[in-house]
Amino acid sequence: MSWIATPRSMHMAQPLALRSGAVLSEYTLAYETYGTLNAARDNAVLICHALNASHHVAGCYADAHGAPMPRSEGWWDNMVGPGKPVDTDRFFVIGVNNLGSCFGSSGPTTGGPSGELWGADFPVVTVEDWVQAQAALLDALGIEQLAAVMGGSLGGMQALSWAVQYPQRVRHAVVVASAPNLTAENIAFNEVARRAIVTDPDFHDGHYRRHGVLPRRGLRIARMIGHITYLSDDVMNTKFGRSLRPLAQQGAEALARELYQYTTHDVEFEIESYLRYQGDKFADYFDANTYLLITRALDYFDPAREHGGDLARALAPAQANFLVVSFSTDWRFAPARSQDMVRALLQNRRQVSYAEIDAPHGHDAFLLDDARYHALVRHYFTQQVQA
């Protein structure tokens, strides 16, 4: 059983200038820490989260009696903790909820300058803005340099950006299942998901909470689209195949009658049931404006853009050592994109370790238990990341 995690928050009174030109005069960051900061204050590891995750990286929350709450484990609890690959007996681990998210940091679901919820008026944020805000939090915690910054997917983009924006503050960067920018196909998936949200009749130009409604239908579809891209074809076929739901598992004649009686709202196949379940669950806890903001930040991230598309030039400021990890069946953040980063870093004579894990799980592999993957991360932190 995991240990008890304690959510925290810090109000930041210093204004934050965003890449969009907007300025947050003040803001709040939700965060959690695990382990102990050593006397030298040099064993800190920052974990950056992906789209729908949060600062709750590891551990469990406590119930009213102080006991661990069931199903409250952090999203990377199999990776971070005492004796785990990122060992909190050795490292002081920090998880921060990104600006614009809906889990405690300033964003569309929190109060704005007018006293009302920000809603759709929360300014556009970028990966670089998140890194800048995280750096301000580390300043407040008295941490000048990170032993490592680590993240998967969108979190990996933040780890990469950390190494470029604050090269003297990062000794190691661990970039997992990520990319230096999104492909056109990825941007297209994000746009279709956003259109599902903004065309929901309950969206109300992003001010749905003023109307006492939520665009749940759009959020459900957005999550279903996203979830399809996180899984590999092999996993879908192995887990679901063309299996029909139990109602349709009957004799041939009864089955034929049953199939033709379905309406467009009915669920015939197990994969349909699974996707609808994921969509319903997502719509219950995630915010639509947050989804729009974070997918836009994904789309915008492209450090090479300001360097004529030359990724090596973009990564030239980085001084950290790197571990880059990809997964063979991840078609959304394919191994070739990780290899692009590796080549650019090697051109800058950076020390880089790279591994492609042959795993069937698609993009979701970076969150799952895989002995080879976890052994790789454990070895890197044990042998390379000096605390």
Side-chain angles (χ1 to χ4, degrees):
M1 177 62 71
S2 295
W3 74 101
I4 299 299
T6 304
R8 307 173 188 275
S9 66
M10 186 174 292
H11 180 75
M12 313 296 288
Q14 186 72 22
L16 183 70
L18 304 176
R19 289 294 179 100
S20 67
V23 176
L24 287 175
S25 59
E26 55 182 343
Y27 57 98
T28 296
L29 292 176
Y31 71 103
E32 290 180 10
T33 65
Y34 322 100
T36 303
L37 187 63
N38 64 16
R41 311 183 82 80
D42 65 355
N43 69 329
V45 175
L46 177 67
I47 301 292
C48 302
H49 70 77
L51 193 156
N52 64 313
S54 71
H55 54 293
H56 183 41
V57 176
C60 290
Y61 289 142
D63 62 18
H65 304 288
M69 293 174 60
R71 297 181 296 280
S72 69
E73 291 87 1
W75 58 270
W76 226 353
D77 189 65
N78 61 358
M79 180 67 74
V80 176
K84 296 180 181 179
V86 182
D87 189 353
T88 53
D89 288 335
R90 181 181 180 189
F91 296 102
F92 179 66
V93 177
I94 308 157
V96 185
N97 188 216
N98 290 335
L99 285 173
S101 187
C102 51
F103 298 112
S105 292
S106 293
T109 60
T110 64
S114 68
E116 294 188 356
L117 296 182
W118 275 102
D121 295 330
F122 194 81
V124 171
V125 288
T126 65
V127 167
E128 292 83 0
D129 295 329
W130 291 335
V131 169
Q132 186 180 353
Q134 292 160 4
L137 176 66
L138 294 184
D139 290 342
L141 294 176
I143 299 170
E144 295 183 1
Q145 188 184 68
L146 290 165
V149 58
M150 177 178 181
S153 190
L154 177 56
M157 290 177 169
Q158 294 169 65
L160 185 67
S161 198
W162 254 101
V164 173
Q165 288 178 248
Y166 298 98
Q168 301 303 318
R169 298 190 69 169
V170 182
R171 298 202 301 275
H172 295 267
V174 180
V175 181
V176 184
S178 195
N181 57 28
L182 289 191
T183 63
E185 181 183 43
N186 270 311
I187 294 172
F189 278 120
N190 285 343
E191 173 59 10
V192 173
R194 286 191 294 265
R195 292 304 300 170
I197 291 171
V198 302
T199 56
D200 187 316
D202 289 332
F203 184 65
H204 294 288
D205 294 323
H207 295 294
Y208 37 86
R209 294 181 188 273
R210 297 178 188 175
H211 295 262
V213 295
L214 297 172
R216 294 182 183 275
R217 284 165 288 187
L219 263 176
R220 289 187 190 106
I221 296 171
R223 180 58 172 174
M224 291 167 72
I225 293 167
H227 210 74
I228 292 169
T229 70
Y230 304 150
L231 301 176
S232 71
D233 186 49
D234 286 344
V235 163
M236 281 199 182
N237 280 321
T238 300
K239 190 171 183 178
F240 305 106
R242 292 184 50 81
S243 298
L244 294 163
R245 297 194 69 204
L247 180 64
Q249 292 174 359
Q250 307 170 24
E253 291 186 10
L255 175 59
R257 289 196 301 271
E258 194 71 55
L259 289 177
Y260 286 109
Q261 288 171 4
Y262 276 110
T263 71
T264 57
H265 303 290
D266 288 321
V267 178
E268 301 174 49
F269 291 91
E270 290 287 2
I271 183 61
E272 294 176 315
S273 177
Y274 172 76
L275 288 175
R276 292 196 190 189
Y277 166 76
Q278 293 294 336
D280 289 344
K281 184 172 68 170
F282 187 70
D284 285 339
Y285 74 85
F286 210 74
D287 176 65
N289 282 317
T290 290
Y291 193 95
L292 302 180
L293 281 171
I294 295 182
T295 55
R296 277 297 184 199
L298 264 167
D299 292 355
Y300 293 145
F301 183 69
D302 186 2
R305 181 187 297 274
E306 297 176 3
H307 300 274
D310 188 333
L311 184 59
R313 285 178 56 195
L315 301 187
Q319 298 298 311
N321 295 335
F322 280 78
L323 171 63
V324 180
V325 183
S326 66
F327 297 91
S328 59
T329 57
D330 183 357
W331 58 273
R332 183 144 200 198
F333 289 83
R337 308 312 316 288
S338 289
Q339 293 161 17
D340 289 341
M341 289 185 282
V342 170
R343 280 191 293 270
L345 290 164
L346 290 175
Q347 286 181 51
N348 287 298
R349 300 184 182 278
R350 296 272 57 83
Q351 182 172 315
V352 187
S353 300
Y354 172 68
E356 179 183 326
I357 306 295
D358 184 12
H361 309 104
H363 188 55
D364 270 356
F366 83 93
L367 296 170
L368 303 177
D369 289 318
D370 184 296
R372 299 157 301 169
Y373 165 43
H374 282 201
L376 170 69
V377 175
R378 183 188 299 277
H379 183 270
Y380 189 83
F381 272 86
T382 300
Q383 301 298 321
Q384 300 295 323
V385 182
Q386 301 298 316

